[in-house]
Amino acid sequence: MPHSEVSAASSIKVHYIDIGQGDAIYIKMPSGEDVIIDGGNKGKGDTIVAYLKKQKVDDIEVLISTHPDADHIGGLDEILDAYRVENVYAPKVKHTTQAYKDFLQAVKREGKTIKTAQMGVSLPIKGVSAKFVGPVKSYSNSDLNNWSAVLHVTYKKNTFLFTGDAEHVAEKDMTAKKQTLRADVLKVGHHGAKTSTSSAFLNVVKPKYAILSVGKNSYGHPTSEVVTNLKRVKATTLRTDKNGTIIITGNGSSYTVKKSK
């Protein structure tokens, strides 16, 4: 086996795909498994599928819907229709929007049942620890963001945290439950909204890199509060609206960062 193949397989590669305002993340695990977290807004599925095809993805081992917000779940039906998906995870929160119904129907067409994403559930991935650290409890149905499936991934010395749109309440609850939150690479909660990414949470996570998945929006994301909080912990901040698709590769000890713009 040529050396390049060996080294390619012994790394974790996380793609924070630039799909405007929303979240879409593709992880190539060290043993080759393909993991997707969220699928952006409606109509972004095709963009994501095209990107995955370019990365030579043949099938998807794990697809995670963090919560039913349209800018996270919108494109998942197109991904489910384009690929064979082995495992689908989502938190146990009901929602009535069309985007959510489309997702449920696509899972049904795939012949899968949704596994519950919640604290303590591990993903069937070789060579890494990939575990949900949230949600740690049930929230009200109107409180979709705090229901977010939060995933912590460890590959040797590399650590990643994917927070969906989890807000201060969920951050506090995960911290109180002593979940593993410390991570070098943080997917910043809720596109940099000030209701997420508290100083207290950042003091626990201590990120070296902070990734903001954000596009043109009327919400003022990312907010100055969050930008300031990230500066305070000296995190290197990267944004999909300014840097395009961001790829962070961990070789088990250090990281390399690639930006598309």
PDB file of all heavy atoms in Angstrom, residues 225-240:
ATOM      1  N   GLU A 225     -21.193  39.862  21.097  1.00  0.00           N
ATOM      2  CA  GLU A 225     -20.981  39.179  22.381  1.00  0.00           C
ATOM      3  C   GLU A 225     -20.193  37.893  22.184  1.00  0.00           C
ATOM      4  O   GLU A 225     -19.237  37.607  22.901  1.00  0.00           O
ATOM      5  CB  GLU A 225     -22.322  38.807  23.050  1.00  0.00           C
ATOM      6  CG  GLU A 225     -23.100  39.976  23.587  1.00  0.00           C
ATOM      7  CD  GLU A 225     -24.103  40.542  22.583  1.00  0.00           C
ATOM      8  OE1 GLU A 225     -23.875  40.476  21.356  1.00  0.00           O
ATOM      9  OE2 GLU A 225     -25.111  41.072  23.047  1.00  0.00           O
ATOM     10  N   VAL A 226     -20.612  37.107  21.180  1.00  0.00           N
ATOM     11  CA  VAL A 226     -19.970  35.806  20.950  1.00  0.00           C
ATOM     12  C   VAL A 226     -18.554  36.007  20.405  1.00  0.00           C
ATOM     13  O   VAL A 226     -17.607  35.336  20.838  1.00  0.00           O
ATOM     14  CB  VAL A 226     -20.830  34.927  20.011  1.00  0.00           C
ATOM     15  CG1 VAL A 226     -20.057  33.697  19.557  1.00  0.00           C
ATOM     16  CG2 VAL A 226     -22.111  34.509  20.736  1.00  0.00           C
ATOM     17  N   VAL A 227     -18.403  36.947  19.480  1.00  0.00           N
ATOM     18  CA  VAL A 227     -17.077  37.245  18.921  1.00  0.00           C
ATOM     19  C   VAL A 227     -16.110  37.629  20.053  1.00  0.00           C
ATOM     20  O   VAL A 227     -14.978  37.148  20.103  1.00  0.00           O
ATOM     21  CB  VAL A 227     -17.179  38.361  17.848  1.00  0.00           C
ATOM     22  CG1 VAL A 227     -15.801  38.826  17.402  1.00  0.00           C
ATOM     23  CG2 VAL A 227     -17.986  37.864  16.638  1.00  0.00           C
ATOM     24  N   THR A 228     -16.601  38.454  20.977  1.00  0.00           N
ATOM     25  CA  THR A 228     -15.793  38.881  22.138  1.00  0.00           C
ATOM     26  C   THR A 228     -15.469  37.699  23.039  1.00  0.00           C
ATOM     27  O   THR A 228     -14.318  37.534  23.475  1.00  0.00           O
ATOM     28  CB  THR A 228     -16.544  39.969  22.945  1.00  0.00           C
ATOM     29  OG1 THR A 228     -16.834  41.052  22.061  1.00  0.00           O
ATOM     30  CG2 THR A 228     -15.707  40.486  24.099  1.00  0.00           C
ATOM     31  N   ASN A 229     -16.475  36.859  23.316  1.00  0.00           N
ATOM     32  CA  ASN A 229     -16.252  35.664  24.160  1.00  0.00           C
ATOM     33  C   ASN A 229     -15.168  34.765  23.559  1.00  0.00           C
ATOM     34  O   ASN A 229     -14.326  34.221  24.274  1.00  0.00           O
ATOM     35  CB  ASN A 229     -17.551  34.867  24.320  1.00  0.00           C
ATOM     36  CG  ASN A 229     -18.535  35.544  25.265  1.00  0.00           C
ATOM     37  OD1 ASN A 229     -18.186  36.502  25.947  1.00  0.00           O
ATOM     38  ND2 ASN A 229     -19.763  35.044  25.296  1.00  0.00           N
ATOM     39  N   LEU A 230     -15.207  34.599  22.222  1.00  0.00           N
ATOM     40  CA  LEU A 230     -14.229  33.733  21.559  1.00  0.00           C
ATOM     41  C   LEU A 230     -12.830  34.350  21.606  1.00  0.00           C
ATOM     42  O   LEU A 230     -11.837  33.646  21.766  1.00  0.00           O
ATOM     43  CB  LEU A 230     -14.657  33.460  20.109  1.00  0.00           C
ATOM     44  CG  LEU A 230     -15.900  32.577  19.954  1.00  0.00           C
ATOM     45  CD1 LEU A 230     -16.405  32.592  18.517  1.00  0.00           C
ATOM     46  CD2 LEU A 230     -15.638  31.143  20.411  1.00  0.00           C
ATOM     47  N   LYS A 231     -12.776  35.679  21.462  1.00  0.00           N
ATOM     48  CA  LYS A 231     -11.477  36.382  21.561  1.00  0.00           C
ATOM     49  C   LYS A 231     -10.885  36.181  22.945  1.00  0.00           C
ATOM     50  O   LYS A 231      -9.685  35.987  23.100  1.00  0.00           O
ATOM     51  CB  LYS A 231     -11.681  37.878  21.312  1.00  0.00           C
ATOM     52  CG  LYS A 231     -11.567  38.266  19.845  1.00  0.00           C
ATOM     53  CD  LYS A 231     -11.246  39.756  19.688  1.00  0.00           C
ATOM     54  CE  LYS A 231     -11.353  40.154  18.217  1.00  0.00           C
ATOM     55  NZ  LYS A 231     -12.572  40.938  17.928  1.00  0.00           N
ATOM     56  N   ARG A 232     -11.758  36.258  23.947  1.00  0.00           N
ATOM     57  CA  ARG A 232     -11.312  36.162  25.332  1.00  0.00           C
ATOM     58  C   ARG A 232     -10.628  34.828  25.603  1.00  0.00           C
ATOM     59  O   ARG A 232      -9.683  34.762  26.387  1.00  0.00           O
ATOM     60  CB  ARG A 232     -12.505  36.370  26.275  1.00  0.00           C
ATOM     61  CG  ARG A 232     -12.099  36.859  27.650  1.00  0.00           C
ATOM     62  CD  ARG A 232     -13.296  37.097  28.557  1.00  0.00           C
ATOM     63  NE  ARG A 232     -14.082  38.242  28.156  1.00  0.00           N
ATOM     64  CZ  ARG A 232     -15.425  38.233  27.986  1.00  0.00           C
ATOM     65  NH1 ARG A 232     -16.115  37.125  28.186  1.00  0.00           N
ATOM     66  NH2 ARG A 232     -16.063  39.325  27.643  1.00  0.00           N
ATOM     67  N   VAL A 233     -11.119  33.750  24.979  1.00  0.00           N
ATOM     68  CA  VAL A 233     -10.468  32.443  25.198  1.00  0.00           C
ATOM     69  C   VAL A 233      -9.390  32.165  24.155  1.00  0.00           C
ATOM     70  O   VAL A 233      -8.876  31.066  24.050  1.00  0.00           O
ATOM     71  CB  VAL A 233     -11.497  31.269  25.259  1.00  0.00           C
ATOM     72  CG1 VAL A 233     -12.374  31.385  26.491  1.00  0.00           C
ATOM     73  CG2 VAL A 233     -12.325  31.162  23.982  1.00  0.00           C
ATOM     74  N   LYS A 234      -9.078  33.204  23.348  1.00  0.00           N
ATOM     75  CA  LYS A 234      -7.996  33.133  22.338  1.00  0.00           C
ATOM     76  C   LYS A 234      -8.213  32.040  21.295  1.00  0.00           C
ATOM     77  O   LYS A 234      -7.247  31.428  20.816  1.00  0.00           O
ATOM     78  CB  LYS A 234      -6.633  32.962  23.028  1.00  0.00           C
ATOM     79  CG  LYS A 234      -6.244  34.173  23.878  1.00  0.00           C
ATOM     80  CD  LYS A 234      -4.852  34.008  24.481  1.00  0.00           C
ATOM     81  CE  LYS A 234      -4.359  35.259  25.187  1.00  0.00           C
ATOM     82  NZ  LYS A 234      -5.247  35.721  26.279  1.00  0.00           N
ATOM     83  N   ALA A 235      -9.482  31.796  20.960  1.00  0.00           N
ATOM     84  CA  ALA A 235      -9.759  30.808  19.914  1.00  0.00           C
ATOM     85  C   ALA A 235      -9.527  31.438  18.540  1.00  0.00           C
ATOM     86  O   ALA A 235      -9.859  32.605  18.328  1.00  0.00           O
ATOM     87  CB  ALA A 235     -11.200  30.325  20.029  1.00  0.00           C
ATOM     88  N   THR A 236      -8.957  30.667  17.638  1.00  0.00           N
ATOM     89  CA  THR A 236      -8.858  31.095  16.240  1.00  0.00           C
ATOM     90  C   THR A 236     -10.238  30.911  15.618  1.00  0.00           C
ATOM     91  O   THR A 236     -10.738  29.788  15.549  1.00  0.00           O
ATOM     92  CB  THR A 236      -7.823  30.227  15.485  1.00  0.00           C
ATOM     93  OG1 THR A 236      -6.564  30.386  16.121  1.00  0.00           O
ATOM     94  CG2 THR A 236      -7.729  30.623  14.024  1.00  0.00           C
ATOM     95  N   THR A 237     -10.857  32.018  15.195  1.00  0.00           N
ATOM     96  CA  THR A 237     -12.232  31.934  14.702  1.00  0.00           C
ATOM     97  C   THR A 237     -12.262  31.891  13.181  1.00  0.00           C
ATOM     98  O   THR A 237     -11.602  32.688  12.510  1.00  0.00           O
ATOM     99  CB  THR A 237     -13.060  33.127  15.229  1.00  0.00           C
ATOM    100  OG1 THR A 237     -13.034  33.086  16.661  1.00  0.00           O
ATOM    101  CG2 THR A 237     -14.508  33.036  14.778  1.00  0.00           C
ATOM    102  N   LEU A 238     -13.007  30.938  12.658  1.00  0.00           N
ATOM    103  CA  LEU A 238     -13.177  30.786  11.207  1.00  0.00           C
ATOM    104  C   LEU A 238     -14.670  30.844  10.901  1.00  0.00           C
ATOM    105  O   LEU A 238     -15.484  30.341  11.670  1.00  0.00           O
ATOM    106  CB  LEU A 238     -12.599  29.447  10.745  1.00  0.00           C
ATOM    107  CG  LEU A 238     -11.097  29.271  11.010  1.00  0.00           C
ATOM    108  CD1 LEU A 238     -10.763  27.809  11.209  1.00  0.00           C
ATOM    109  CD2 LEU A 238     -10.286  29.839   9.859  1.00  0.00           C
ATOM    110  N   ARG A 239     -15.029  31.463   9.756  1.00  0.00           N
ATOM    111  CA  ARG A 239     -16.447  31.655   9.415  1.00  0.00           C
ATOM    112  C   ARG A 239     -16.698  31.234   7.979  1.00  0.00           C
ATOM    113  O   ARG A 239     -15.967  31.635   7.079  1.00  0.00           O
ATOM    114  CB  ARG A 239     -16.821  33.127   9.542  1.00  0.00           C
ATOM    115  CG  ARG A 239     -16.618  33.721  10.900  1.00  0.00           C
ATOM    116  CD  ARG A 239     -16.684  35.244  10.902  1.00  0.00           C
ATOM    117  NE  ARG A 239     -17.863  35.774  10.217  1.00  0.00           N
ATOM    118  CZ  ARG A 239     -18.372  36.972  10.446  1.00  0.00           C
ATOM    119  NH1 ARG A 239     -17.830  37.758  11.360  1.00  0.00           N
ATOM    120  NH2 ARG A 239     -19.426  37.398   9.780  1.00  0.00           N
ATOM    121  N   THR A 240     -17.752  30.454   7.768  1.00  0.00           N
ATOM    122  CA  THR A 240     -18.039  29.999   6.404  1.00  0.00           C
ATOM    123  C   THR A 240     -18.406  31.162   5.479  1.00  0.00           C
ATOM    124  O   THR A 240     -18.170  31.093   4.281  1.00  0.00           O
ATOM    125  CB  THR A 240     -19.163  28.947   6.383  1.00  0.00           C
ATOM    126  OG1 THR A 240     -20.315  29.487   7.030  1.00  0.00           O
ATOM    127  CG2 THR A 240     -18.738  27.659   7.073  1.00  0.00           C
TER     128      THR A 240
END
